[in-house]
Amino acid sequence: MGRAHAAAFLLLALLAAAAAAVEGRRRPEPEGGENACAKGWKCSGSRFCCDGTITDYFKAHHFEELFPRRNDSIAHAAGFWSYQAFIAAAALFEPRGFGTTGGEQMGVKEVAAFLGHVGSRTSCGHIYPNPVAWGLCYNREMSPDQNYFCDDSNELYRCVEGVRYYGRGALPVYWNYNYGIIGKGIKQDLLSHPELLEQNATIAFEAAIWRWMTPVKRRQPSAHDVFVGNWKPTKSDTLSKRYPGFGATMNIMYGDRICGRGFVGEMNFTLSHYQHYLDLMGVGREHYGDNLDCADQVAFNPSS
């Protein structure tokens, strides 16, 4: 083969590989390559991302066990949240590795970690016995004040007149720019219609999973990456006591609101949901993993 033909062939191969990565298509593991996937396939973005689905190990009865009081008469979002809505949303992110990275046990742990955040953010268990049983009690802030959570200085995602951007969804979204960014990510006009997060459970879960899978800033990891081990801490991270694990997911999601402040109540509340969900899903305490809390971690994005 001549040099010109070889160069053209190489260019086409590179373009094809790039296109496959962009589209998120799955491709077979090369012969003899390392493969953590029992079915012999992997999805783009990680060699440890397998061609399974979350429904392989997370069934409707697990969802019912994790959120047993969500449809009680005193639950504020009774009848709204469902297993089917979660699975429909999760399926959109499985090719990116959500719940499909690193084998089944890691998948179980990631689903428990994500839902641990969801359960603690939507719980009304602060006022009822057995707090970890009350996840998905809410789908919106119940008593939003007259603050429209509108940042007029944001020119990219300008507030829509008359729209209020208070907390809604599985991982509550506040402020116009967050509705704009997340809406763009999931291809929904949340800037004009933030109410979608309290009207459609699938979209609410989709927005939350997008947040879990997406870094807040460039050159920073996502909650997904720090949990499944895709992220390798730098020297600056280790000096800041940031290591892969559930603790780092709290750091990314909430920063110094709950991290770097010792074992404060809100951090313990989130962690207790994760550990309780692991127990319900059959993961023994010896497999909880390291770095569960963020008590001593410096925030990735300090509020100052």
Side-chain angles (χ1 to χ4, degrees):
M1 182 183 295
R3 290 185 179 179
H5 288 88
F9 179 82
L10 178 59
L11 178 60
L12 288 172
L14 290 172
L15 289 173
V22 169
E23 294 300 322
R25 291 197 292 258
R26 298 172 181 177
R27 53 191 184 275
E29 182 71 21
E31 192 71 29
E34 183 180 2
N35 185 3
C37 306
K39 296 184 180 180
W41 291 76
K42 67 176 184 178
C43 46
S44 65
S46 171
R47 63 194 174 94
F48 297 114
C49 177
C50 305
D51 192 34
T53 66
I54 288 172
T55 57
D56 290 342
Y57 56 80
F58 186 66
K59 309 296 185 182
H61 72 87
H62 292 120
F63 191 86
E64 298 299 324
E65 290 168 358
L66 267 56
F67 305 109
R69 310 300 298 270
R70 74 185 192 283
N71 289 326
D72 277 23
S73 59
I74 55 177
H76 299 281
F80 181 75
W81 301 106
S82 71
Y83 172 77
Q84 292 75 16
F86 170 67
I87 291 302
L92 300 174
F93 295 89
E94 287 169 348
R96 289 177 54 187
F98 179 65
T100 58
T101 300
E104 185 172 304
Q105 186 176 85
M106 178 57 78
V108 170
K109 290 171 65 176
E110 183 177 14
V111 168
F114 168 75
L115 291 177
H117 282 278
V118 169
S120 64
R121 295 305 102 186
T122 58
S123 175
C124 51
H126 295 86
I127 55 177
Y128 296 118
N130 191 17
V132 291
W134 287 94
L136 297 180
C137 177
Y138 297 106
N139 63 357
R140 53 161 288 179
E141 186 178 355
M142 292 307 299
S143 301
D145 57 25
Q146 295 306 306
N147 186 343
Y148 276 44
F149 293 96
C150 169
D151 178 5
D152 287 322
S153 68
N154 191 290
E155 297 182 358
L156 187 58
Y157 298 108
R158 291 187 178 278
C159 303
V160 176
E161 185 176 358
V163 174
R164 301 173 68 182
Y165 299 101
Y166 57 80
R168 301 174 176 90
L171 291 175
V173 181
Y174 290 82
W175 295 99
N176 51 302
Y177 46 82
N178 287 324
Y179 277 97
I181 291 168
I182 294 173
K184 182 179 180 181
I186 65 172
K187 297 180 172 57
Q188 297 285 343
D189 186 9
L190 297 182
L191 192 63
S192 299
H193 299 286
E195 70 277 3
L196 287 172
L197 296 189
E198 58 181 291
Q199 294 176 351
N200 187 308
T202 300
I203 294 176
F205 274 127
E206 187 180 348
I209 300 172
W210 184 91
R211 173 70 182 85
W212 175 265
M213 299 294 294
T214 307
V216 175
K217 293 183 178 180
R218 290 182 179 180
R219 299 187 179 88
Q220 286 189 359
S222 64
H224 165 77
D225 285 335
V226 301
F227 187 82
V228 302
N230 289 342
W231 171 68
K232 305 302 179 187
T234 65
K235 182 178 180 180
S236 175
D237 290 315
T238 58
L239 290 173
S240 299
K241 299 184 179 180
R242 296 190 293 254
Y243 300 98
F246 186 76
T249 70
M250 291 190 284
N251 192 326
I252 288 170
M253 304 295 279
Y254 318 119
D256 54 13
R257 195 175 91 197
I258 68 173
C259 294
R261 300 173 53 198
F263 288 88
V264 296
E266 193 170 356
M267 187 203 72
N268 292 332
F269 191 66
T270 305
L271 177 56
S272 67
H273 279 75
Y274 170 54
Q275 292 175 318
H276 179 63
Y277 292 174
L278 286 178
D279 290 341
L280 291 176
M281 294 171 71
V283 177
R285 291 182 178 267
E286 68 275 14
H287 298 299
Y288 278 7
D290 299 323
N291 309 309
L292 293 174
D293 66 82
C294 62
D296 299 322
Q297 292 184 19
V298 176
F300 279 101
N301 298 295
S303 57
S304 59

